[in-house]
């Protein structure tokens, strides 16, 4: 068939593997029947790697399949996931290539046989189960020999059997360690990439058992965790994050692609089940994209498919708590495809939802900073600055750090940085003042402190040293204004505070070699407040007057 590109041996081996991974035996057998009954028609390849056809079943169904990523394709029949129509199309495709279709029909069984044989060679005879109790350790060990041939769902079914004896245990770090040990000790010798991925899923499963679902809240997590459970969750999440950064990366093995895509599906559903106030899976979802998926991508097909799945979820979610992580995930997909305008619209909507976590914005700045895409980074810092307003509990350290990098690489962006930070006041007050000092903008720093009513007593002496050294005259109104403000309180504590500032002011005048100016000021100050006996007493105690 001239419209169908040739399938090489590597592609054929991958197809057999994918069929075994995504389809169960019954679906493969039914697909084989449809193939033999010649129900497939119009087989074409509209673009490289894409196969489409029609299948006559209860009605005519349209099938589109992406070779090498079967989870991306689909059929418009009512079945969710791989169906007999997709299997029939793939078999028709194989037949058009002159490949043995029967092998696809038996892909599940043949793959298991090969894995079992390989495992049997790897496990010594003395290590095999011999009449072990059903569900016991021997039976689990025997079942574990098939781990290399299992898909992710089957792994998690096995995990559930492994931890069932711990069902009544208190959820604490000890439980997490025991559960993880139970899952890891049944695995056979495996390739490092597969062992790495299996270990990741074992930890994800334990994490799920630590986060029980809230009764009466479909898909929602309980609003709080006990201290020891929270400790176990924190330790486990740190361990999972290290899995994404460690070597070897499972993504480096093409044979792990299907399992990685299933990992994506698992984390997607976990992320979408989170409420705005409990973010356990979000970082893991985005880490998977950044560390394992994106580095191996060659086009935007997977982004588009993920966005389609997220948009389908949008239609079924109305509660604001469940919509927020969905909006941010959709924004991330648009961002990855350079659709910044659409991404920002979604982020603005997400920021209006209760419990918005501004920390999520860091995942948009960080990739741009790492890639050195400075102009786009400046644009994102400018646009997202407004989303941080109103979230006073959020630290702006990351935001400030990325602005610093952007200005270092693109000096022309500095005026824009100052304008954005000024517009974000008072939220940005801390980093705004810090950057003014760092950039030697002494007058602007002092104007900001005076306008915000800050007191010199709020600062340690060393914090004011840069101004004392570079622009001491700017500190004079700062001290004078504060002294008068404390005196105006007309109480003993106010007078004591005023005297402390006057003593620091005296030292400042001495550094400026302007002692006479201070003496003149102090004389006028003392005369003006001569009726305030308590103040006069504090001045004498401070040895400013006699």
């Amino acid at each position: 068939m001239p419209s169908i590109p040739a399938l090489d041996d590597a592609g054929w081996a991958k197809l057999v593997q994918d069929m075994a991974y995504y389809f169960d035996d019954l679906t493969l057998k039914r697909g084989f029947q449809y193939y033999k009954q010649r129900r497939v028609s119009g087989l074409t390849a509209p673009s490289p790697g894409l196969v489409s056809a029609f299948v006559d079943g209860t009605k005519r169904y349209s099938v589109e399949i992406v070779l090498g990523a079967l989870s991306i394709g689909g059929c418009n029949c009512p079945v969710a996931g791989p169906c007999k129509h997709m299997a029939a199309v793939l078999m028709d495709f194989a037949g058009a290539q002159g490949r043995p279709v029967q092998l696809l029909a038996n892909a599940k069984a043949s793959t298991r046989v090969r894995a079992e044989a390989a495992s049997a060679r790897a496990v010594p005879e003395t290590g095999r189960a011999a009449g072990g109790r059903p569900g016991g350790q021997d039976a689990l060990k025997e079942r574990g020999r098939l781990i290399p041939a299992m898909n992710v769902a089957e792994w998690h079914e096995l995990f559930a059997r492994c931890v069932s004896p711990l069902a009544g245990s208190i959820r604490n770090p000890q439980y997490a360690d025991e559960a993880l040990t139970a899952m890891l000790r049944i695995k056979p010798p495996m390739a490092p990439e597969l062992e790495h991925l299996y270990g990741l899923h074992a930890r994800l499963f334990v994490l799920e058992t630590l986060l029980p679902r809230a009764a009466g809240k479909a898909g929602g997590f309980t609003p709080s965790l006990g201290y020891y459970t929270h400790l176990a969750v924190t330790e486990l999440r740190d361990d999972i994050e290290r899995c994404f950064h460690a070597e070897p990366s499972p993504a480096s093995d093409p044979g792990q692609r299907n399992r990685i895509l299933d990992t994506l599906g698992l984390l997607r559903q976990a992320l979408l089940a989170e409420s705005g106030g409990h973010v356990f899976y979000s970082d893991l979802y985005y880490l998977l994209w950044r560390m394992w998926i994106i580095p191996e991508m060659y086009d935007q097909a997977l982004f588009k498919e993920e966005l389609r799945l997220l948009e389908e979820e949008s239609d079924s979610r109305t509660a604001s708590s469940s919509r927020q992580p969905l909006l941010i995930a959709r924004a991330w997909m648009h961002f990855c495809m350079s659709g910044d305008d659409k991404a920002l619209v979604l982020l603005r909507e997400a920021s209006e939802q209760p419990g918005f976590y501004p920390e999520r914005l860091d995942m948009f700045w960080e990739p741009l900073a790492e890639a050195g895409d400075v102009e786009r980074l400046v644009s994102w810092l400018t646009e997202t600055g407004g989303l941080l307003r109103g979230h006073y509990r959020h630290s702006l350290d990351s935001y400030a750090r990325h602005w610093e990098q952007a200005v270092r690489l693109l000096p022309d962006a500095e005026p824009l940085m100052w304008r954005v930070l000024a517009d974000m006041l008072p939220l940005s007050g801390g980093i705004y003042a810090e950057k003014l000092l760092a950039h030697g903008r002494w007058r602007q720093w002092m104007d900001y402190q005076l306008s915000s009513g800050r007191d010199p007593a709020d600062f340690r002496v060393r914090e004011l040293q840069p101004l004392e050294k570079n622009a001491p005259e700017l500190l004079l109104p700062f001290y004078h204004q504060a002294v008068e403000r404390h005196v105006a309180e007309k109480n003993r504590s106010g007078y004591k505070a005023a005297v402390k500032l006057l003593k620091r002011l005296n030292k400042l005048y001495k550094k400026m070699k302007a002692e006479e100016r201070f003496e003149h000021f102090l004389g006028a100050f003392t005369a003006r407040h001569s009726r305030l006996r308590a103040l006069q007493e504090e001045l004498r105690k401070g040895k400013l007057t006699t």
Side-chain angles (χ1 to χ4, degrees):
M1 187 175 298
S3 61
I4 305 298
L7 186 67
D8 59 19
D9 290 343
W12 168 246
K14 182 71 167 62
L15 180 58
V16 174
Q17 181 183 4
D18 286 354
M19 293 286 278
Y21 186 90
Y22 281 108
F23 295 86
D24 56 44
D25 283 321
L26 182 59
T27 302
L28 289 173
K29 295 299 185 290
R30 288 177 174 173
F32 187 55
Q33 288 180 344
Y34 271 36
Y35 164 73
K36 290 194 298 183
Q37 294 168 1
R38 300 181 182 278
R39 295 187 180 221
V40 181
S41 61
L43 182 70
T44 58
S47 61
L50 180 65
V51 174
S52 66
F54 298 101
V55 181
D56 292 322
T58 307
K59 62 179 185 178
R60 173 162 282 201
Y61 297 110
S62 175
V63 176
E64 280 195 348
I65 298 172
V66 178
L67 298 175
L70 300 190
S71 64
I72 294 181
C75 173
N76 64 348
C77 73
V79 177
C83 62
K84 59 187 176 183
H85 309 108
M86 294 174 63
V89 169
L90 287 168
M91 291 174 189
D92 195 58
F93 170 72
Q97 302 284 328
R99 298 286 182 173
V101 177
Q102 189 72 37
L103 185 57
L104 294 184
N106 296 311
K108 197 81 172 179
S110 62
T111 301
R112 284 194 182 279
V113 168
R114 288 196 300 273
E116 200 167 64
S119 181
R121 290 192 298 271
V123 179
E125 192 68 30
T126 56
R128 298 183 184 177
R133 298 187 312 277
Q137 186 59 38
D138 288 343
L140 287 172
K141 193 76 174 180
E142 184 70 17
R143 177 69 173 162
R145 290 165 54 194
L146 297 178
I147 286 172
M150 292 180 179
N151 59 32
V152 165
E154 291 168 329
W155 279 354
H156 283 253
E157 291 173 3
L158 183 59
F159 295 155
R161 292 176 57 186
C162 290
V163 303
S164 58
L166 303 173
S169 301
I170 297 174
R171 298 305 193 256
N172 57 20
Q174 181 180 349
Y175 161 82
D177 290 341
E178 291 177 356
L180 193 57
T181 298
M183 289 181 252
L184 296 180
R185 69 185 171 203
I186 66 167
K187 62 180 177 61
M190 297 187 287
E193 295 82 3
L194 180 58
E195 187 163 354
H196 191 157
L197 190 57
Y198 178 83
L200 170 70
H201 275 276
R203 289 167 173 82
L204 288 172
F205 183 87
V206 177
L207 179 61
E208 185 179 6
T209 66
L210 293 170
L211 301 171
R213 305 284 176 168
K217 296 182 181 179
F221 289 110
T222 49
S224 62
L225 298 171
Y227 171 77
Y228 290 106
T229 303
H230 192 276
L231 182 62
V233 167
T234 301
E235 292 176 352
L236 196 57
R237 284 186 75 255
D238 290 344
D239 200 15
I240 292 171
E241 289 186 11
R242 285 192 289 271
C243 283
F244 284 114
H245 290 90
E247 295 291 344
S249 167
S252 62
D253 180 1
Q256 300 307 321
R257 178 176 173 81
N258 294 333
R259 289 191 178 96
I260 290 175
L261 292 178
D262 283 353
T263 306
L264 174 62
L266 185 151
L267 289 177
R268 180 195 312 117
Q269 292 306 314
L271 174 147
L272 298 180
E274 293 179 329
S275 64
H278 292 83
V279 183
F280 297 107
Y281 287 98
S282 295
D283 289 342
L284 306 182
Y285 173 82
Y286 298 110
L287 266 175
L288 176 63
W289 276 105
R290 290 189 58 193
M291 302 304 297
W292 288 1
I293 297 179
I294 292 177
E296 302 297 324
M297 288 178 58
Y298 299 100
D299 55 39
Q300 296 188 346
L302 195 56
F303 290 141
K304 293 176 181 178
E305 173 62 14
E306 183 72 3
L307 182 59
R308 182 186 68 79
L309 294 171
L310 292 170
E311 288 174 344
E312 286 180 358
E313 291 281 352
S314 297
D315 297 335
S316 60
R317 295 175 185 265
T318 56
S320 60
S321 60
S322 63
R323 279 186 56 78
Q324 187 188 104
L326 183 57
L327 289 167
I328 296 174
R330 287 170 57 195
W332 169 255
M333 288 302 110
H334 283 296
F335 168 81
C336 290
M337 293 187 289
S338 299
D340 292 350
D341 290 342
K342 292 181 179 179
L344 287 164
V345 168
L346 292 166
L347 283 176
R348 291 187 187 105
E349 184 179 351
S351 70
E352 296 170 357
Q353 307 287 333
F356 175 66
Y357 271 65
E359 289 86 348
R360 298 274 74 79
L361 297 174
D362 191 66
M363 69 191 188
F364 296 91
W365 309 324
E366 194 67 32
L368 298 177
E370 289 180 357
D373 192 348
V374 185
E375 292 186 358
R376 194 174 171 207
L377 176 60
V378 168
S379 175
W380 267 88
L381 290 170
T382 302
E383 295 296 331
T384 54
L387 304 184
L388 299 173
R389 296 193 195 108
H391 299 283
Y392 289 93
R393 69 179 185 277
H394 173 55
S395 169
L396 293 180
D397 290 347
S398 177
Y399 185 70
R401 186 177 68 255
H402 284 106
W403 258 123
E404 199 64 38
Q405 178 179 354
V407 169
R408 185 170 63 252
L409 296 176
L410 188 65
D412 290 346
E414 185 175 341
L416 181 58
M417 178 186 75
W418 295 121
R419 186 160 66 249
V420 171
L421 292 177
D423 289 343
M424 292 172 62
L425 291 171
L427 173 63
S428 63
I431 64 169
Y432 182 58
E434 180 182 315
K435 286 190 177 299
L436 287 171
L437 284 180
H439 287 259
R441 293 178 169 244
W442 317 119
R443 183 171 295 281
Q444 290 96 321
W445 184 88
M446 184 51 63
D447 289 345
Y448 172 65
Q449 304 305 332
L450 290 170
S451 64
S452 58
R454 296 293 300 276
D455 194 298
D458 297 336
F459 301 88
R460 297 183 179 89
V461 174
R462 61 180 176 80
E463 291 178 305
L464 297 178
Q465 283 178 347
L467 268 85
E468 290 183 1
K469 178 181 179 181
N470 295 282
E473 68 283 354
L474 294 178
L475 283 171
L476 298 180
F478 194 31
Y479 279 101
H480 283 290
Q481 186 183 82
V483 167
E484 296 297 341
R485 187 165 56 245
H486 285 298
V487 171
E489 295 174 8
K490 293 188 176 180
N491 56 48
R492 181 71 68 167
S493 61
Y495 298 151
K496 287 182 177 180
V499 169
K500 285 183 179 179
L501 291 177
L502 284 169
K503 294 172 75 173
R504 289 174 63 177
L505 187 58
N506 184 22
K507 291 181 180 179
L508 182 61
Y509 273 106
K510 286 181 178 178
K511 284 186 177 181
M512 296 172 60
K513 301 185 184 305
E515 292 93 333
E516 291 184 3
R517 285 177 58 189
F518 179 75
E519 293 297 333
H520 177 75
F521 157 75
L522 185 60
F525 175 83
T526 303
R528 189 167 68 254
H529 298 297
S530 59
R531 295 184 179 182
L532 300 177
R533 294 181 180 178
L535 173 61
Q536 298 297 329
E537 182 180 338
E538 292 299 328
L539 288 169
R540 287 192 295 273
K541 286 181 180 180
K543 298 181 179 180
L544 290 172
T545 60
T546 56

